[in-house]
mmCIF file of all heavy atoms in Angstrom:
data_model
loop_
_atom_site.group_PDB
_atom_site.id
_atom_site.type_symbol
_atom_site.label_atom_id
_atom_site.label_comp_id
_atom_site.label_asym_id
_atom_site.label_seq_id
_atom_site.Cartn_x
_atom_site.Cartn_y
_atom_site.Cartn_z
ATOM 1 N N SER A 1 -6.584 86.922 8.406
ATOM 2 C CA SER A 1 -6.771 88.315 8.077
ATOM 3 C C SER A 1 -5.858 88.780 7.078
ATOM 4 O O SER A 1 -6.055 89.626 6.137
ATOM 5 C CB SER A 1 -6.834 89.291 9.247
ATOM 6 O OG SER A 1 -5.659 89.130 9.970
ATOM 7 N N GLY A 2 -4.574 88.138 7.139
ATOM 8 C CA GLY A 2 -3.502 88.574 6.280
ATOM 9 C C GLY A 2 -3.585 87.859 4.904
ATOM 10 O O GLY A 2 -2.584 88.218 3.959
ATOM 11 N N THR A 3 -4.432 87.086 4.582
ATOM 12 C CA THR A 3 -4.606 86.345 3.354
ATOM 13 C C THR A 3 -4.904 87.221 2.175
ATOM 14 O O THR A 3 -5.727 87.972 2.326
ATOM 15 C CB THR A 3 -5.678 85.117 3.332
ATOM 16 O OG1 THR A 3 -5.362 84.366 4.506
ATOM 17 C CG2 THR A 3 -5.590 84.381 2.161
ATOM 18 N N SER A 4 -4.027 87.144 1.202
ATOM 19 C CA SER A 4 -4.143 87.989 0.003
ATOM 20 C C SER A 4 -5.523 87.840 -0.768
ATOM 21 O O SER A 4 -6.242 86.786 -0.660
ATOM 22 C CB SER A 4 -3.083 87.790 -1.022
ATOM 23 O OG SER A 4 -3.096 86.558 -1.578
ATOM 24 N N LEU A 5 -5.910 88.833 -1.525
ATOM 25 C CA LEU A 5 -7.188 88.896 -2.179
ATOM 26 C C LEU A 5 -7.206 87.798 -3.244
ATOM 27 O O LEU A 5 -8.259 87.228 -3.487
ATOM 28 C CB LEU A 5 -7.396 90.271 -2.835
ATOM 29 C CG LEU A 5 -8.577 90.444 -3.658
ATOM 30 C CD1 LEU A 5 -9.882 90.292 -2.968
ATOM 31 C CD2 LEU A 5 -8.639 91.782 -4.426
ATOM 32 N N ILE A 6 -6.017 87.470 -3.931
ATOM 33 C CA ILE A 6 -6.107 86.523 -4.950
ATOM 34 C C ILE A 6 -6.338 85.136 -4.357
ATOM 35 O O ILE A 6 -7.058 84.347 -5.056
ATOM 36 C CB ILE A 6 -4.649 86.356 -5.587
ATOM 37 C CG1 ILE A 6 -4.670 85.491 -6.872
ATOM 38 C CG2 ILE A 6 -3.587 86.059 -4.716
ATOM 39 C CD1 ILE A 6 -5.677 85.851 -7.941
ATOM 40 N N HIS A 7 -5.901 84.845 -3.185
ATOM 41 C CA HIS A 7 -6.341 83.504 -2.514
ATOM 42 C C HIS A 7 -7.785 83.497 -2.161
ATOM 43 O O HIS A 7 -8.434 82.449 -2.416
ATOM 44 C CB HIS A 7 -5.462 83.404 -1.287
ATOM 45 C CG HIS A 7 -4.142 82.960 -1.418
ATOM 46 N ND1 HIS A 7 -3.684 81.866 -2.218
ATOM 47 C CD2 HIS A 7 -2.772 83.537 -1.077
ATOM 48 C CE1 HIS A 7 -2.296 81.776 -2.273
ATOM 49 N NE2 HIS A 7 -1.884 82.714 -1.519
ATOM 50 N N ARG A 8 -8.266 84.577 -1.771
ATOM 51 C CA ARG A 8 -9.699 84.691 -1.489
ATOM 52 C C ARG A 8 -10.566 84.406 -2.699
ATOM 53 O O ARG A 8 -11.619 83.683 -2.736
ATOM 54 C CB ARG A 8 -10.113 86.031 -0.805
ATOM 55 C CG ARG A 8 -9.301 86.168 0.596
ATOM 56 C CD ARG A 8 -9.541 87.536 1.227
ATOM 57 N NE ARG A 8 -8.853 87.718 2.389
ATOM 58 C CZ ARG A 8 -9.477 87.465 3.614
ATOM 59 N NH1 ARG A 8 -10.654 86.995 3.677
ATOM 60 N NH2 ARG A 8 -8.650 87.665 4.685
ATOM 61 N N LEU A 9 -10.185 85.174 -3.845
ATOM 62 C CA LEU A 9 -11.067 85.073 -5.059
ATOM 63 C C LEU A 9 -10.810 83.532 -5.630
ATOM 64 O O LEU A 9 -11.826 83.028 -5.986
ATOM 65 C CB LEU A 9 -10.428 86.029 -6.100
ATOM 66 C CG LEU A 9 -10.692 87.403 -5.767
ATOM 67 C CD1 LEU A 9 -9.958 88.320 -6.818
ATOM 68 C CD2 LEU A 9 -12.053 87.745 -5.721
ATOM 69 N N LEU A 10 -9.711 83.046 -5.505
ATOM 70 C CA LEU A 10 -9.494 81.547 -6.015
ATOM 71 C C LEU A 10 -10.314 80.576 -5.212
ATOM 72 O O LEU A 10 -10.850 79.672 -5.751
ATOM 73 C CB LEU A 10 -8.007 81.175 -6.051
ATOM 74 C CG LEU A 10 -7.071 81.760 -7.119
ATOM 75 C CD1 LEU A 10 -5.646 81.502 -6.931
ATOM 76 C CD2 LEU A 10 -7.578 81.398 -8.473
ATOM 77 N N LEU A 11 -10.362 80.783 -3.936
ATOM 78 C CA LEU A 11 -11.172 79.902 -3.048
ATOM 79 C C LEU A 11 -12.598 80.026 -3.524
ATOM 80 O O LEU A 11 -13.235 78.987 -3.507
ATOM 81 C CB LEU A 11 -10.867 80.187 -1.645
ATOM 82 C CG LEU A 11 -9.699 79.625 -0.861
ATOM 83 C CD1 LEU A 11 -9.759 80.087 0.607
ATOM 84 C CD2 LEU A 11 -9.782 78.085 -0.855
ATOM 85 N N GLY A 12 -13.087 81.271 -3.721
ATOM 86 C CA GLY A 12 -14.517 81.325 -4.007
ATOM 87 C C GLY A 12 -14.796 80.828 -5.402
ATOM 88 O O GLY A 12 -15.817 80.222 -5.624
ATOM 89 N N PHE A 13 -13.784 80.944 -6.325
ATOM 90 C CA PHE A 13 -14.043 80.413 -7.628
ATOM 91 C C PHE A 13 -14.034 78.821 -7.644
ATOM 92 O O PHE A 13 -14.926 78.195 -8.315
ATOM 93 C CB PHE A 13 -12.922 80.843 -8.605
ATOM 94 C CG PHE A 13 -13.021 80.143 -9.989
ATOM 95 C CD1 PHE A 13 -13.894 80.735 -10.911
ATOM 96 C CD2 PHE A 13 -12.073 79.121 -10.376
ATOM 97 C CE1 PHE A 13 -14.028 80.062 -12.149
ATOM 98 C CE2 PHE A 13 -12.208 78.644 -11.580
ATOM 99 C CZ PHE A 13 -13.081 79.131 -12.577
ATOM 100 N N PHE A 14 -13.156 78.201 -6.897
ATOM 101 C CA PHE A 14 -13.122 76.763 -6.992
ATOM 102 C C PHE A 14 -14.075 75.990 -6.027
ATOM 103 O O PHE A 14 -14.143 74.836 -6.021
ATOM 104 C CB PHE A 14 -11.739 76.430 -6.637
ATOM 105 C CG PHE A 14 -10.643 76.615 -7.791
ATOM 106 C CD1 PHE A 14 -9.652 77.527 -7.567
ATOM 107 C CD2 PHE A 14 -10.903 75.924 -9.037
ATOM 108 C CE1 PHE A 14 -8.691 77.609 -8.689
ATOM 109 C CE2 PHE A 14 -9.975 76.155 -10.014
ATOM 110 C CZ PHE A 14 -8.989 77.033 -9.842
ATOM 111 N N ILE A 15 -14.799 76.822 -5.179
ATOM 112 C CA ILE A 15 -15.586 76.193 -4.226
ATOM 113 C C ILE A 15 -16.764 75.223 -4.787
ATOM 114 O O ILE A 15 -17.432 75.591 -5.667
ATOM 115 C CB ILE A 15 -16.256 77.310 -3.212
ATOM 116 C CG1 ILE A 15 -16.860 76.574 -1.979
ATOM 117 C CG2 ILE A 15 -17.352 78.009 -3.877
ATOM 118 C CD1 ILE A 15 -17.191 77.587 -0.958
ATOM 119 N N THR A 16 -16.814 74.130 -4.192
ATOM 120 C CA THR A 16 -17.925 73.191 -4.548
ATOM 121 C C THR A 16 -18.419 72.639 -3.235
ATOM 122 O O THR A 16 -17.791 72.923 -2.201
ATOM 123 C CB THR A 16 -17.550 72.018 -5.537
ATOM 124 O OG1 THR A 16 -16.621 71.210 -4.738
ATOM 125 C CG2 THR A 16 -16.750 72.523 -6.737
ATOM 126 N N ASP A 17 -19.514 71.808 -3.344
ATOM 127 C CA ASP A 17 -19.961 71.228 -2.028
ATOM 128 C C ASP A 17 -18.824 70.374 -1.386
ATOM 129 O O ASP A 17 -18.695 70.491 -0.152
ATOM 130 C CB ASP A 17 -21.213 70.327 -2.280
ATOM 131 C CG ASP A 17 -22.388 71.117 -2.847
ATOM 132 O OD1 ASP A 17 -22.448 72.415 -2.621
ATOM 133 O OD2 ASP A 17 -23.235 70.630 -3.559
ATOM 134 N N GLU A 18 -18.194 69.581 -2.159
ATOM 135 C CA GLU A 18 -17.232 68.728 -1.609
ATOM 136 C C GLU A 18 -16.064 69.447 -1.220
ATOM 137 O O GLU A 18 -15.382 69.149 -0.071
ATOM 138 C CB GLU A 18 -16.817 67.631 -2.655
ATOM 139 C CG GLU A 18 -18.022 66.700 -3.110
ATOM 140 C CD GLU A 18 -19.072 67.339 -3.921
ATOM 141 O OE1 GLU A 18 -18.628 68.245 -4.750
ATOM 142 O OE2 GLU A 18 -20.203 66.993 -3.745
ATOM 143 N N PHE A 19 -15.445 70.381 -1.916
ATOM 144 C CA PHE A 19 -14.282 71.234 -1.596
ATOM 145 C C PHE A 19 -14.551 71.938 -0.307
ATOM 146 O O PHE A 19 -13.752 72.105 0.647
ATOM 147 C CB PHE A 19 -13.903 72.097 -2.646
ATOM 148 C CG PHE A 19 -13.378 71.357 -3.756
ATOM 149 C CD1 PHE A 19 -13.286 71.898 -5.241
ATOM 150 C CD2 PHE A 19 -12.705 70.039 -3.680
ATOM 151 C CE1 PHE A 19 -12.831 71.209 -6.197
ATOM 152 C CE2 PHE A 19 -12.191 69.438 -4.908
ATOM 153 C CZ PHE A 19 -12.307 69.988 -6.082
ATOM 154 N N PHE A 20 -15.787 72.547 -0.239
ATOM 155 C CA PHE A 20 -16.257 73.165 0.938
ATOM 156 C C PHE A 20 -16.110 72.312 2.125
ATOM 157 O O PHE A 20 -15.720 72.667 3.222
ATOM 158 C CB PHE A 20 -17.593 73.868 0.770
ATOM 159 C CG PHE A 20 -18.189 74.524 2.016
ATOM 160 C CD1 PHE A 20 -17.721 75.744 2.323
ATOM 161 C CD2 PHE A 20 -19.061 73.771 2.755
ATOM 162 C CE1 PHE A 20 -18.215 76.296 3.537
ATOM 163 C CE2 PHE A 20 -19.545 74.379 3.909
ATOM 164 C CZ PHE A 20 -19.101 75.672 4.374
ATOM 165 N N GLY A 21 -16.776 71.119 2.013
ATOM 166 C CA GLY A 21 -16.790 70.208 3.169
ATOM 167 C C GLY A 21 -15.518 69.778 3.767
ATOM 168 O O GLY A 21 -15.347 69.840 4.875
ATOM 169 N N ILE A 22 -14.516 69.407 2.852
ATOM 170 C CA ILE A 22 -13.244 68.984 3.394
ATOM 171 C C ILE A 22 -12.430 70.158 3.854
ATOM 172 O O ILE A 22 -11.668 70.059 4.784
ATOM 173 C CB ILE A 22 -12.507 68.264 2.251
ATOM 174 C CG1 ILE A 22 -12.136 69.010 1.130
ATOM 175 C CG2 ILE A 22 -13.246 67.018 1.925
ATOM 176 C CD1 ILE A 22 -11.236 68.374 0.076
ATOM 177 N N THR A 23 -12.714 71.377 3.324
ATOM 178 C CA THR A 23 -11.908 72.612 3.723
ATOM 179 C C THR A 23 -12.327 73.067 5.028
ATOM 180 O O THR A 23 -11.519 73.353 5.986
ATOM 181 C CB THR A 23 -11.979 73.633 2.660
ATOM 182 O OG1 THR A 23 -11.487 73.190 1.436
ATOM 183 C CG2 THR A 23 -11.089 74.842 3.085
ATOM 184 N N ILE A 24 -13.682 73.150 5.172
ATOM 185 C CA ILE A 24 -14.199 73.822 6.376
ATOM 186 C C ILE A 24 -14.103 72.876 7.644
ATOM 187 O O ILE A 24 -14.153 73.268 8.736
ATOM 188 C CB ILE A 24 -15.772 74.119 6.199
ATOM 189 C CG1 ILE A 24 -16.202 75.281 7.162
ATOM 190 C CG2 ILE A 24 -16.641 72.921 6.308
ATOM 191 C CD1 ILE A 24 -15.651 76.675 6.918
ATOM 192 N N SER A 25 -13.985 71.612 7.415
ATOM 193 C CA SER A 25 -13.820 70.660 8.387
ATOM 194 C C SER A 25 -12.491 70.573 9.095
ATOM 195 O O SER A 25 -12.281 69.887 10.147
ATOM 196 C CB SER A 25 -14.150 69.141 7.883
ATOM 197 O OG SER A 25 -13.111 68.689 6.963
ATOM 198 N N ARG A 26 -11.460 71.155 8.520
ATOM 199 C CA ARG A 26 -10.112 71.146 9.036
ATOM 200 C C ARG A 26 -9.971 72.278 10.243
ATOM 201 O O ARG A 26 -10.713 73.139 10.236
ATOM 202 C CB ARG A 26 -9.058 71.683 7.945
ATOM 203 C CG ARG A 26 -8.755 70.561 6.916
ATOM 204 C CD ARG A 26 -7.946 71.117 5.688
ATOM 205 N NE ARG A 26 -6.543 71.440 6.251
ATOM 206 C CZ ARG A 26 -5.541 70.699 6.280
ATOM 207 N NH1 ARG A 26 -5.696 69.352 6.109
ATOM 208 N NH2 ARG A 26 -4.355 71.066 6.739
ATOM 209 N N LYS A 27 -9.188 71.849 11.174
ATOM 210 C CA LYS A 27 -9.010 72.730 12.433
ATOM 211 C C LYS A 27 -8.281 73.959 12.118
ATOM 212 O O LYS A 27 -7.328 73.963 11.226
ATOM 213 C CB LYS A 27 -8.335 71.927 13.544
ATOM 214 C CG LYS A 27 -9.134 70.683 13.938
ATOM 215 C CD LYS A 27 -8.463 69.937 15.156
ATOM 216 C CE LYS A 27 -9.351 68.861 15.688
ATOM 217 N NZ LYS A 27 -8.714 68.195 16.701
ATOM 218 N N GLY A 28 -8.443 74.938 12.894
ATOM 219 C CA GLY A 28 -7.632 76.139 12.660
ATOM 220 C C GLY A 28 -8.144 77.044 11.563
ATOM 221 O O GLY A 28 -9.263 76.730 10.963
ATOM 222 N N SER A 29 -7.429 77.890 11.120
ATOM 223 C CA SER A 29 -7.810 78.803 9.944
ATOM 224 C C SER A 29 -7.602 78.055 8.686
ATOM 225 O O SER A 29 -6.856 77.118 8.598
ATOM 226 C CB SER A 29 -6.897 80.047 9.967
ATOM 227 O OG SER A 29 -5.587 79.755 9.822
ATOM 228 N N VAL A 30 -8.280 78.448 7.640
ATOM 229 C CA VAL A 30 -8.330 77.831 6.275
ATOM 230 C C VAL A 30 -6.991 78.226 5.505
ATOM 231 O O VAL A 30 -6.694 79.434 5.432
ATOM 232 C CB VAL A 30 -9.521 78.283 5.485
ATOM 233 C CG1 VAL A 30 -9.316 77.903 4.022
ATOM 234 C CG2 VAL A 30 -10.774 77.838 6.037
ATOM 235 N N ASN A 31 -6.298 77.209 5.143
ATOM 236 C CA ASN A 31 -5.113 77.463 4.307
ATOM 237 C C ASN A 31 -5.600 77.079 2.843
ATOM 238 O O ASN A 31 -5.815 76.013 2.577
ATOM 239 C CB ASN A 31 -4.002 76.516 4.732
ATOM 240 C CG ASN A 31 -2.766 76.746 3.961
ATOM 241 O OD1 ASN A 31 -2.704 77.162 2.780
ATOM 242 N ND2 ASN A 31 -1.556 76.499 4.521
ATOM 243 N N PRO A 32 -5.563 78.014 1.936
ATOM 244 C CA PRO A 32 -6.101 77.855 0.613
ATOM 245 C C PRO A 32 -5.211 76.814 -0.219
ATOM 246 O O PRO A 32 -5.747 76.104 -1.093
ATOM 247 C CB PRO A 32 -5.949 79.204 -0.131
ATOM 248 C CG PRO A 32 -4.923 79.952 0.735
ATOM 249 C CD PRO A 32 -5.243 79.476 2.118
ATOM 250 N N TYR A 33 -4.026 76.572 0.249
ATOM 251 C CA TYR A 33 -3.233 75.603 -0.494
ATOM 252 C C TYR A 33 -3.725 74.110 -0.307
ATOM 253 O O TYR A 33 -3.505 73.255 -1.205
ATOM 254 C CB TYR A 33 -1.738 75.643 0.024
ATOM 255 C CG TYR A 33 -0.969 76.908 -0.610
ATOM 256 C CD1 TYR A 33 -0.990 77.948 0.212
ATOM 257 C CD2 TYR A 33 -0.491 76.796 -1.739
ATOM 258 C CE1 TYR A 33 -0.164 79.178 -0.375
ATOM 259 C CE2 TYR A 33 0.203 77.870 -2.343
ATOM 260 C CZ TYR A 33 0.338 79.081 -1.591
ATOM 261 O OH TYR A 33 0.982 80.151 -2.125
ATOM 262 N N TYR A 34 -4.554 73.907 0.804
ATOM 263 C CA TYR A 34 -5.082 72.640 0.978
ATOM 264 C C TYR A 34 -6.204 72.412 -0.154
ATOM 265 O O TYR A 34 -6.252 71.317 -0.706
ATOM 266 C CB TYR A 34 -5.748 72.465 2.311
ATOM 267 C CG TYR A 34 -6.614 71.354 2.479
ATOM 268 C CD1 TYR A 34 -6.081 70.062 2.786
ATOM 269 C CD2 TYR A 34 -7.966 71.427 2.496
ATOM 270 C CE1 TYR A 34 -6.806 68.969 2.992
ATOM 271 C CE2 TYR A 34 -8.786 70.216 2.721
ATOM 272 C CZ TYR A 34 -8.090 69.114 2.858
ATOM 273 O OH TYR A 34 -8.908 67.886 3.097
ATOM 274 N N THR A 35 -6.954 73.467 -0.275
ATOM 275 C CA THR A 35 -8.067 73.387 -1.314
ATOM 276 C C THR A 35 -7.289 73.142 -2.725
ATOM 277 O O THR A 35 -7.792 72.505 -3.556
ATOM 278 C CB THR A 35 -8.922 74.533 -1.262
ATOM 279 O OG1 THR A 35 -9.309 74.701 -0.004
ATOM 280 C CG2 THR A 35 -10.132 74.322 -2.310
#
């Protein structure tokens, strides 16, 4: 919930099928730095 808007926008911009697959498969909350 505390993740900044810029991180949320960047994740949405860079999302692809493959990036989504490897990011969503990680345990716990999503860390945008992984993507």
Side-chain angles (χ1 to χ4, degrees):
S1 58
T3 303
S4 66
L5 178 62
I6 185 63
H7 284 308
R8 295 173 182 272
L9 292 176
L10 286 173
L11 275 178
F13 175 77
F14 286 117
I15 194 170
T16 67
D17 297 334
E18 293 72 34
F19 291 152
F20 173 79
I22 62 174
T23 302
I24 203 71
S25 64
R26 288 173 65 85
K27 294 182 178 180
S29 61
V30 169
N31 187 330
Y33 285 96
Y34 172 78
T35 310

